[in-house]
Amino acid sequence: MNFTLYTYLIPVLIALVIAVILTNKIVKIDLTEIRYPEIDGLRGYLAFFVFLHHSYIWRFFLQSNEWNEPESNLFNQFGQTTVAFFFVITAFLFTTKLINSKTKQIDWTEYIKARFYRLFPMYFFSVLVIFFIVAYLTGFTAQVPFLENLKSILSWIFFNVRKDLDINGLENSRILNAGITWTLPYEWVFYFLLPLIALFFKIKVNYKTLFIFLAAAAITMIINKSSLRHFIPFIGGICVALLIDSKRFETVLKQKKYAVLSLILLLISVYFFHSGRKPVPIIITSIVFLIVASGNNFFGLLSSAFSRKFGQVTYSLYLIHGIVLYILFNFVIGIEKAKTLTDWEFWLIIAASVFPLIFICQLTFKYIELPLMNLAKAKSAKTKK
């Protein structure tokens, strides 16, 4: 295990603390009361781990021109285990909503609209930025036939970003956002499967609604060539929701010793497994999340205002960080110069990029995500009247 590699994280983490504190003073956003503040606090760190994962990949991409997963167990799990956590969180939150809606009628149309308002605007903004970068790099002229361009553009807009669908012929278009959009179709498939899952909780679902949603799930899976193994963490999230609902762990898992246990389990996962997609790491991820969802704040860290404010910008951070890395190495430093950087120079540059990254994400959350979230809530409240 290369412990020298991990020392490079020290300035990056220091930069993160400073960036979150400063950006929250410059761009002020109030915290809202939520049922699971610890989960909100966890999300920001997860998104930042994905940023570290792709920073590591960029280090070796500059040398080899090959976009490969990290050789380091820790940096690889910064990406894979983090995504597993996100899938577990999604399944937990929406299954919990189903559990709490056993006696209520669910408006599935409003539900899917709310998901659209939450996920699409920020994603569409990020894609527009990518389209502009591609246009600039290709001289604002068409490099491939119109229909080929239209196919790639539509695929990007609807989350189907594949290696063979470069925009306007620009090679490796996927790395403009570090290829992070592959996870979003899986999220959408789970949303479409929710009416089916609702039946297991004896919630009435209109057969027409069920058919439409299942068809949408099937089409999404086929178009994106979805792998069934990526749905395993969703099962973990459903199990956590059922365990939390049983009230068996309501107070027990809040104890500090279980936070220590969580850290030990994660260390075991990183030490013994290179991939976070194996059954054992996924089980560990689900157990750790069960402890968090039970209200364990990890010595106050996850429920702190610092973590929760950081957690608010999770989606922006997830979508934007790859674009920032691309701009950093292609336009600010330059690819040829970046290839000559020493390890310390590279990671100090990554540390320096943290503040602009967090600042941009704070702005996009406040002026893109938040207004659309509020609009969705207002429309939902109006419909219920």
Side-chain angles (χ1 to χ4, degrees):
M1 188 175 288
N2 185 4
F3 288 102
T4 304
L5 176 63
Y6 305 143
T7 62
Y8 302 141
L9 293 177
I10 296 173
V12 180
L13 296 176
I14 292 172
L16 172 65
V17 174
I18 295 171
V20 173
I21 292 173
L22 288 180
T23 53
N24 280 304
K25 289 183 180 295
I26 300 170
V27 186
K28 295 182 180 180
I29 303 172
D30 295 329
L31 285 173
T32 55
E33 291 299 320
I34 56 174
R35 185 176 178 182
Y36 301 103
E38 294 81 14
I39 296 176
D40 223 28
L42 174 64
R43 280 172 162 156
Y45 297 106
L46 294 176
F48 193 74
F49 291 157
V50 178
F51 166 68
L52 295 176
H53 170 79
H54 288 130
S55 296
Y56 183 102
I57 291 176
W58 260 103
R59 177 64 179 145
F60 291 92
F61 175 75
L62 289 167
Q63 306 299 325
S64 65
N65 202 37
E66 293 182 0
W67 192 264
N68 297 319
E69 64 183 30
E71 294 180 359
S72 160
N73 285 12
L74 177 64
F75 280 88
N76 197 42
Q77 291 213 38
F78 272 162
Q80 294 184 1
T81 298
T82 291
V83 168
F85 264 111
F86 280 133
F87 288 169
V88 169
I89 290 171
T90 293
F92 167 78
L93 292 176
F94 284 93
T95 303
T96 300
K97 287 184 179 181
L98 290 181
I99 292 171
N100 296 333
S101 301
K102 284 181 180 179
T103 59
K104 300 177 184 177
Q105 186 73 26
I106 298 176
D107 188 330
W108 294 105
T109 302
E110 286 302 315
Y111 151 74
I112 211 68
K113 282 182 181 177
R115 288 293 82 206
F116 180 86
Y117 279 118
R118 179 66 188 95
L119 297 180
F120 194 77
M122 184 58 214
Y123 174 75
F124 187 63
F125 171 78
S126 72
V127 169
L128 286 180
V129 173
I130 289 170
F131 287 169
F132 179 80
I133 293 172
V134 171
Y136 174 79
L137 291 174
T138 55
F140 294 97
T141 57
Q143 304 295 321
V144 296
F146 172 77
L147 288 178
E148 187 176 331
N149 251 340
L150 181 63
K151 181 180 177 181
S152 61
I153 289 170
L154 289 176
S155 71
W156 273 76
I157 291 175
F158 292 103
F159 310 109
N160 181 32
V161 181
R162 302 203 315 260
K163 293 180 181 178
D164 60 333
L165 289 173
D166 291 329
I167 311 169
N168 202 27
L170 182 70
E171 188 178 0
N172 290 325
S173 294
R174 287 178 73 250
I175 70 170
L176 269 83
N177 64 359
I180 49 84
T181 52
W182 74 267
T183 65
L184 298 180
Y186 287 94
E187 295 272 352
W188 277 104
V189 169
F190 182 81
Y191 299 147
F192 290 136
L193 289 175
L194 215 59
L196 177 63
I197 299 171
L199 294 177
F200 290 93
F201 294 97
K202 298 181 180 179
I203 297 173
K204 292 182 179 180
V205 180
N206 181 283
Y207 285 114
K208 182 180 177 182
T209 298
L210 184 62
F211 174 79
I212 292 172
F213 274 62
L214 289 180
I219 292 169
T220 304
M221 291 178 68
I222 292 168
I223 291 175
N224 291 280
K225 300 177 181 178
S226 300
S227 172
L228 292 177
R229 69 172 178 165
H230 293 306
F231 290 101
I232 298 175
F234 290 105
I235 297 172
I238 293 171
C239 292
V240 172
L242 293 171
L243 289 171
I244 293 294
D245 184 58
S246 71
K247 309 295 183 184
R248 294 178 184 176
F249 308 101
E250 197 165 18
T251 57
V252 178
L253 295 182
K254 290 182 181 180
Q255 298 175 44
K256 293 179 180 178
K257 64 182 179 181
Y258 290 103
V260 175
L261 174 63
S262 293
L263 296 175
I264 292 172
L265 287 173
L266 290 172
L267 286 173
I268 290 171
S269 180
V270 169
Y271 187 82
F272 289 103
F273 296 93
H274 178 250
S275 172
R277 295 170 181 161
K278 301 292 184 182
V280 173
I282 290 175
I283 291 170
I284 289 175
T285 297
S286 300
I287 292 171
V288 171
F289 181 72
L290 171 63
I291 293 170
V292 174
S294 296
N296 195 309
N297 58 25
F298 280 59
F299 313 103
L301 175 65
L302 297 184
S303 59
S304 67
F306 174 92
S307 296
R308 289 185 59 199
K309 286 183 178 180
F310 181 35
Q312 287 183 144
V313 303
T314 296
Y315 190 50
S316 282
L317 180 55
Y318 186 75
L319 292 177
I320 293 293
H321 78 269
I323 299 173
V324 170
L325 287 171
Y326 188 90
I327 292 172
L328 176 66
F329 293 118
N330 280 271
F331 300 116
V332 179
I333 298 171
I335 292 294
E336 295 306 315
K337 174 64 178 175
K339 289 179 180 179
T340 66
L341 296 172
T342 65
D343 287 339
W344 269 112
E345 288 172 336
F346 177 87
W347 286 103
L348 286 174
I349 287 170
I350 293 297
S353 72
V354 171
F355 176 78
L357 172 62
I358 300 299
F359 181 68
I360 292 168
C361 292
Q362 194 85 346
L363 289 174
T364 53
F365 174 77
K366 184 171 184 177
Y367 296 108
I368 298 176
E369 290 188 68
L370 196 56
L372 272 297
M373 289 164 61
N374 291 335
L375 177 62
K377 289 178 183 177
K379 286 188 174 236
S380 178
K382 187 177 180 181
T383 303
K384 291 177 182 178
K385 286 183 179 179

